Amino acid sequence: MEVTNKYVAIKANIDGAPQESDFELKNGSFSLLVKPGSKDVIIKNLYVSIDPYQINRMKTASESQTTSVFATMIDPGKVIDAYGVGIVIASGNPEFEKDDYVVGLLSWGEYCVYNGPYLNKLDAMGLPLSYYVGALGLSGLTAYAGFFEICKPKKGEKVFVSAASGSVGNLVGQYAKQFGCYVVGCAGSPKKVKLLKEKLGFDEVFNYKEETDLNLALKRYFPDGIDIYFDNVGAEMLEAAILNMNLHGRVAVCGVISEYTDNGKRAVPDMLSVIYKRITIRGFLAGDHMGMFPEFFSKTIDHLNTGKMQVLEDVSFGLEGVPSAFVGLFRGDNVGKRIVQVSND
C-alpha cells in the first residue's frame, strides 16, 4: 500500500539567517509495507523536534558537518531527519511491533522508514508524548550531562545560564536549583523573565536586551563572581561571563545561537582571565553522554512526578508549520522546547 508522504525540505543551502521562503513542502510516494527480509521500521511521525543546530547542517559548509554523525549536511530537496516520537505502522524488526510508540531519529515528514540504531521503544508512563521530544529527550540529556558531568557543580555555587527560557537553558536552571546552587538566567523579554522567576524558581533573571553593558550586568547579579556558566549563546555573552568567572570556573558550551547565522559574530574571550583564573571551557554534544541516559531519565522522571521540575513546551500543530517554527528560534520566539505535532496517533 502506498500513500503520499509530505515532508519539509530546503530549496538550497542556507548560509545566513533562515527565512520561511528557504523551505518547501514536498510530496513523495511512500510504501506502508515492509519489504520481505528487511528490518525496516515504518513510522507515522507524531511529534518532531525543532532545533537551532539544524541550521549548521543546512549551510554550504560547517565544522559540524564533518565532526558529528548527527550533524551531517542536509541536501536541498531531501528529507530532513530530526529527533521525534512516532508510532509503528509496520515492522520487519523483531524489536518493534505495529502500534508501538517509538522515540529516536525520525524526520520532518508525515512518515519515515528507519533501520538504524537510533530508535527505541517508548513507554510513555502516563506522561505526554511530547515530553520525550524535549525534557525527557536529547534536550534534557544535554542539560543534565552538561551541568552534572561537564560543570561538576558543588552545592552553593553560583550558576549563570544564558538563553534560560530555551529548551536546554530552562532545564539547566531547574537542575541547578534542585542541586542547591544560586542561579541567575538571562532571557529576551519581560514575559520570559517573569516566567523563569515565578514558575521555575530562578533566583534572579534579567532581560539582556535591556542591558547596555553585559559585563556590568553580570557584576551586578554576581558581585562575588560566577562559578559555572552554561553557554547557549556565545559572542558577547560568553566574553562577559569569562570576565566575571571565579577561580577554577567552568564553562559548558552546548550552543552558540548568536553566531550560527552571523559570520561577523565571534566570541573573543579574555584569555588572561582564562589562564590566571584557571577557567575550563568545554564544548560537548548530548551524543557524547548517552551512557548517562538511564540516570538522567530516572532522576528527571522523579522530579516531574513530584512537581520539583516543570516542563516548558512550545508546541504547534501541522507539518506546514515547521519552517516558521524553525525560523522563529532565531528571533527568540519560543518559550521552552519548540516542537511540531505532525499528526494525532
Side-chain angles (χ1 to χ4, degrees):
M1 177 182 176
E2 283 201 349
V3 296
T4 297
N5 181 31
K6 294 180 180 178
Y7 62 94
V8 174
I10 55 173
K11 297 176 182 178
N13 294 113
I14 305 170
D15 289 314
Q19 307 294 324
E20 290 183 42
S21 58
D22 293 322
F23 299 85
E24 59 183 340
L25 196 61
K26 301 192 73 173
N27 295 321
S29 60
F30 188 89
S31 176
L32 297 181
L33 300 176
V34 175
K35 296 176 183 177
S38 167
K39 288 192 175 182
D40 288 349
V41 183
I42 297 172
I43 301 163
K44 179 182 179 182
N45 299 332
L46 302 178
Y47 294 89
V48 293
S49 181
I50 309 297
D51 299 293
Y53 84 90
Q54 295 273 36
I55 192 64
N56 298 315
R57 304 182 63 205
M58 299 173 185
K59 295 176 180 179
T60 304
S62 170
E63 187 70 20
S64 70
Q65 296 174 6
T66 59
T67 54
S68 171
V69 295
F70 297 104
T72 54
M73 178 184 283
I74 294 170
D75 293 322
K78 301 295 185 181
V79 175
I80 297 171
D81 54 292
Y83 195 74
V85 168
I87 188 168
V88 175
I89 300 297
S91 176
N93 188 324
E95 295 182 17
F96 302 97
E97 298 179 356
K98 186 178 184 298
D99 296 329
D100 281 345
Y101 287 119
V102 290
V103 59
L105 202 59
L106 307 184
S107 72
W108 282 356
E110 293 179 319
Y111 298 92
C112 68
V113 57
Y114 198 75
N115 57 12
Y118 306 115
L119 189 71
N120 292 288
K121 194 178 294 188
L122 173 61
D123 176 4
M125 297 185 288
L127 293 171
L129 290 173
S130 58
Y131 282 18
Y132 295 87
V133 180
L136 293 172
L138 293 184
S139 295
L141 178 62
T142 300
Y144 188 90
F147 183 64
F148 289 105
E149 181 67 17
I150 304 298
C151 297
K152 299 191 182 303
K154 302 178 183 67
K155 292 186 186 301
E157 286 194 310
K158 301 169 186 67
V159 177
F160 174 46
V161 185
S162 58
S165 66
S167 61
V168 173
N170 88 86
L171 296 170
V172 172
Q174 293 187 78
Y175 286 131
K177 284 300 299 178
Q178 287 299 316
F179 188 74
C181 293
Y182 174 80
V183 183
V184 176
C186 71
S189 73
K191 176 184 175 182
K192 292 178 179 179
V193 169
K194 182 178 181 181
L195 182 148
L196 291 169
K197 287 193 70 173
E198 296 183 0
K199 183 174 181 178
L200 302 191
F202 280 59
D203 292 291
E204 293 289 348
V205 186
F206 66 90
N207 184 347
Y208 69 89
K209 293 180 180 178
E210 295 177 348
E211 301 292 342
T212 57
D213 189 319
L214 292 174
N215 180 31
L216 292 179
L218 290 179
K219 287 185 186 301
R220 187 166 74 248
Y221 286 98
F222 292 97
D224 298 319
I226 300 168
D227 298 303
I228 290 171
Y229 172 42
F230 202 103
D231 186 23
N232 295 293
V233 173
E236 299 95 337
M237 194 69 74
L238 175 58
E239 294 172 6
I242 291 293
L243 291 174
N244 286 276
M245 298 294 289
N246 287 329
L247 287 175
H248 303 291
R250 287 87 74 204
V251 180
V253 184
C254 81
V256 287
I257 193 168
S258 69
E259 301 183 22
Y260 288 163
T261 59
D262 185 347
N263 289 330
K265 276 199 171 187
R266 290 289 183 270
V268 187
D270 180 0
M271 295 308 294
L272 284 178
S273 291
V274 173
I275 294 168
Y276 285 98
K277 293 180 181 178
R278 281 83 90 195
I279 297 169
T280 299
I281 304 174
R282 182 173 168 187
F284 74 100
L285 300 174
D288 300 335
H289 301 279
M290 293 304 294
M292 294 187 71
F293 199 95
E295 174 190 327
F296 142 72
F297 189 83
S298 175
K299 290 190 176 181
T300 306
I301 283 282
D302 287 345
H303 288 327
L304 294 178
N305 286 336
T306 57
K308 293 179 180 178
M309 287 183 67
Q310 306 294 319
V311 173
L312 289 188
E313 292 182 320
D314 186 333
V315 184
S316 55
F317 185 84
L319 189 67
E320 65 280 357
V322 166
S324 62
F326 181 70
V327 170
L329 289 173
F330 299 91
R331 297 192 298 257
D333 292 351
N334 61 301
V335 178
K337 176 65 182 178
R338 180 149 277 191
I339 299 167
V340 169
Q341 183 178 355
V342 177
S343 61
N344 297 311
D345 60 5

